Amino acid sequence: MLELQLTSGESESFFHLTVTGQLESAHFPMGPDGDGLFCRYDIVAGPDWELMSGLSSAVTQSARTDSDYRTVVFNMPIEFTMKSTNPYGWPQIIFSLYGANMWNVETNRGYARVFCPLSGTDSERVLRAPLFIPKYANACSAAMSWITGVNPEMRDPKILSDGSKHKGLSSETYGELVVRLQTISRGSSRMALDWGQTMVDDKF
């Protein structure tokens, strides 16, 4: 009897969050500054979050603009499930965009991040994440970057999930990523967590 009670208690000590959607496209007001663009995404969450299914990171195919010179379409699916004992460190998705410059050298074309939306929405949410490109602080390095067409690259883009770790980073923004996401939670009601959702299935 004691073992059954412990098992029941453990099953109520965490909740599940399922995220589905896709990285739809990248949009640039005057067209992309480069060719053969591809994007990598990384899921970042707090220490109490555990990935149960899906990929923590993935890379899109290489894509180019079509009829609309301002838009690069990826249509890469995003789907994963995580569990946690509390909402602290809510999952974020960090995007790193790369492409070839005029010398056909692969270089960074921008970073972006989005928070996974709260669960309970009736439809997908369209998120537009601005792309920013790190810049060198000194004039000499900035001039070499302009001549070579190679932008500075972050060793670990995941630090973007923590504002205190990239404070003072010099950058400029150009373009945005369009991401469609929908989230569903299970088990949150048993933990007295309320996202304001209208339809939640806590029977499982």
Side-chain angles (χ1 to χ4, degrees):
M1 186 66 176
L2 178 61
E3 182 178 356
L4 291 176
Q5 291 177 348
L6 289 175
T7 303
S8 176
E10 290 175 353
S11 67
E12 297 178 0
S13 63
F14 57 83
F15 67 95
H16 289 84
L17 185 74
T18 299
V19 180
T20 59
Q22 65 177 350
L23 167 58
E24 190 174 87
S25 61
H27 180 78
F28 304 91
M30 299 180 65
D33 186 16
D35 202 6
L37 297 179
F38 66 94
C39 191
R40 169 182 174 142
Y41 77 78
D42 294 279
I43 300 171
V44 181
D48 297 323
W49 290 80
E50 180 183 353
L51 184 67
M52 302 301 295
S53 66
L55 300 175
S56 60
S57 64
V59 180
T60 71
Q61 79 283 3
S62 178
R64 292 175 171 82
T65 58
D66 196 1
S67 56
D68 182 0
Y69 71 94
R70 297 172 297 180
T71 304
V72 179
V73 179
F74 296 113
N75 285 338
M76 182 183 187
I78 298 175
E79 184 174 354
F80 60 91
T81 299
M82 304 188 78
K83 74 174 184 179
S84 178
T85 56
N86 64 80
Y88 174 77
W90 193 262
Q92 302 179 55
I93 305 178
I94 309 298
F95 297 96
S96 305
L97 187 66
Y98 300 92
N101 60 16
M102 61 181 298
W103 311 110
N104 201 30
V105 176
E106 181 183 301
T107 184
N108 166 254
R109 290 301 177 191
Y111 298 95
R113 68 166 180 161
V114 298
F115 279 92
C116 295
L118 294 177
S119 62
T121 54
D122 296 330
S123 59
E124 288 182 321
R125 290 192 59 185
V126 179
L127 307 175
R128 297 183 177 273
L131 282 164
F132 71 90
I133 304 173
K135 291 298 178 183
Y136 289 107
N138 61 79
C140 181
S141 297
M144 288 299 299
S145 176
W146 181 81
I147 294 173
T148 60
V150 177
N151 295 320
E153 186 174 340
M154 303 182 71
R155 290 185 178 180
D156 185 11
K158 294 181 181 179
I159 66 171
L160 297 175
S161 63
D162 187 345
S164 63
K165 293 183 179 180
H166 60 87
K167 185 178 181 180
L169 176 67
S170 178
S171 65
E172 66 178 15
T173 60
Y174 178 62
E176 63 183 9
L177 291 182
V178 181
V179 187
R180 294 180 179 270
L181 294 177
Q182 183 179 27
T183 57
I184 300 174
S185 67
R186 293 187 299 173
S188 57
S189 295
R190 293 194 299 265
M191 300 180 64
L193 296 174
D194 182 13
W195 320 119
Q197 61 265 54
T198 57
M199 295 180 63
V200 176
D201 188 359
D202 280 328
K203 297 180 180 180
F204 301 96

